[in-house]
Amino acid sequence: MPKLAVLGQPISHSRSPAMQNVALAELGLAGEWTYEGIEVAPEAFDARVRSMPGEGFVGANVTVPHKLAALAVADQASEAARAIGAANTLSFDGSRIAAENTDAAGFLDALPEPPNGKRALVMGAGGSARAVAWALTTHGARVTIWNRTPEKARALAQEFGTSVADPGDEYDLIVNATTVGMGTSTQASSDLKSLPIDADALGERHQLVDLAYGAVETELVRAASARGARVVDGLEVLVRQGAASLRIWTGMDPPIEAMRRAARANEWQPKKDPRT
Ligand code: NDP
């Protein structure tokens, strides 16, 4: 029976097992294929991955904090994973490990229209910002980077041949790839003010993608939607990256709508990390 998993630490909050098991059932693979969440500490990651093919695993998603290690442990990596410097999807062929980054493809699939020619602002310079900046630059957008720590924005802009944000710049597409808004709960008041955008200035001509997601919509998504911007939230990007991974493992067309429903199921609540 082929097995799949998501590896991370913590992992109890992950929506991927629910979403991927619904997808497997929808594809008629329930009872044949399984997908589980496995908590792995950083020091145990390499050994855990290498033991997986022998346990019947054919692939794995990889999330925080293992995306760099996932690229390092692989015998081969896609151009995207190498350029981004991180992998979120592993496939096992015998003991051979292949790495892919579907965060980039998932982001592009979530966009309502192709980004070529658009003036894009990427906020953040961490792992997901790298995936987004790579996806946008390789698909013809004019990318500008902003980051709370400016040196990291400069370094990323230089590496990808893009520019750093200047006050007064205008954008068509704005992407939040910072942790601002992450894990939004009903009580949370997010620190939107630390981002370089004025929510009041957003309007119908803007497209906003917020990678962060939580139990309720983020303040950024709420503010942008209220002003008529076209909005893609973090759950849609999560669904699309998961769908791209599933296509790699099964070779089948993923059931996007069922995955979307599972990712957004009301009964989901973030579980408290038992170690905290
Ligand atoms: P990283 O830890 O790699 O990067 C974090 C980024 O957030 C850095 O640029 C950091 O800036 C910035 N940051 C942190 N705190 C603040 C703050 N208070 N104000 C402004 N900027 C801040 O994280 P990832 O790139 O892996 O993840 C970023 C977000 O994207 C998370 O919310 C994550 O959940 C989400 N994500 C969603 C996915 C999806 O499928 N929807 C996929 C992957 C990620 P600095 O350099 O100054 O520290």
Side-chain angles (χ1 to χ4, degrees):
M1 183 183 302
K3 298 203 286 187
L4 298 165
V6 55
L7 309 177
Q9 187 185 50
I11 204 63
S12 58
H13 69 289
S14 174
R15 299 188 191 194
S16 291
M19 180 175 81
Q20 297 287 15
N21 280 308
V22 163
L24 291 170
E26 213 44 42
L27 291 173
L29 300 176
E32 277 178 67
W33 292 59
T34 59
Y35 187 109
E36 63 194 283
I38 301 178
E39 174 134 355
V40 188
E43 59 277 14
F45 181 79
D46 267 37
R48 187 72 192 88
V49 168
R50 289 185 196 287
S51 72
M52 291 178 85
E55 297 167 25
F57 285 92
V58 295
N61 279 133
V62 176
T63 187
V64 176
H66 303 310
K67 290 186 185 180
L68 299 184
L71 180 63
V73 78
D75 300 297
Q76 67 186 76
S78 68
E79 186 196 345
R82 278 185 276 119
I84 294 162
N88 75 330
T89 304
L90 297 175
S91 306
F92 309 127
D93 180 8
S95 61
R96 243 186 120 63
I97 303 170
E100 178 57 278
N101 189 312
T102 67
D103 284 335
F107 165 78
L108 289 169
D109 288 345
L111 292 178
E113 58 198 43
N116 54 303
K118 292 203 187 307
R119 299 164 299 175
L121 171 66
V122 177
M123 300 185 288
S128 60
R130 290 183 65 88
V132 167
W134 183 83
L136 288 172
T137 50
T138 54
H139 285 76
R142 285 180 278 153
V143 175
T144 299
I145 314 247
W146 173 90
N147 192 51
R148 178 180 62 173
T149 310
E151 308 85 74
K152 290 192 205 162
R154 278 196 288 276
L156 184 54
Q158 192 170 23
E159 187 181 338
F160 285 169
T162 62
S163 54
V164 170
D166 269 330
D169 282 354
E170 293 277 338
Y171 306 105
D172 311 301
L173 170 62
I174 297 163
V175 184
N176 177 30
T178 74
T179 51
V180 172
M182 185 175 78
T184 314
S185 71
T186 39
Q187 285 84 32
S189 86
S190 102
D191 40 354
L192 240 191
K193 290 190 179 59
S194 61
L195 299 181
I197 49 165
D198 175 5
D200 288 332
L202 292 174
E204 284 170 17
R205 67 186 187 284
H206 293 111
Q207 198 170 305
L208 177 104
V209 183
D210 192 355
L211 294 189
Y213 61 86
V216 296
E217 69 183 356
T218 63
E219 200 179 323
L220 185 55
V221 164
R222 193 162 44 243
S225 307
R227 287 161 182 82
R230 286 159 298 155
V231 171
V232 174
D233 70 7
L235 283 176
E236 182 64 16
V237 180
L238 179 83
V239 167
R240 298 299 186 142
Q241 63 77 35
S245 298
L246 195 61
R247 186 180 283 115
I248 290 172
W249 298 318
T250 64
M252 298 168 84
D253 272 347
I256 299 286
E257 194 45 50
M259 296 176 79
R260 204 177 268 142
R261 277 198 306 274
R264 293 181 186 279
N266 288 336
E267 58 273 15
W268 182 85
Q269 287 295 328
K271 286 189 195 139
K272 196 165 158 29
D273 182 350
R275 293 161 307 135
T276 57

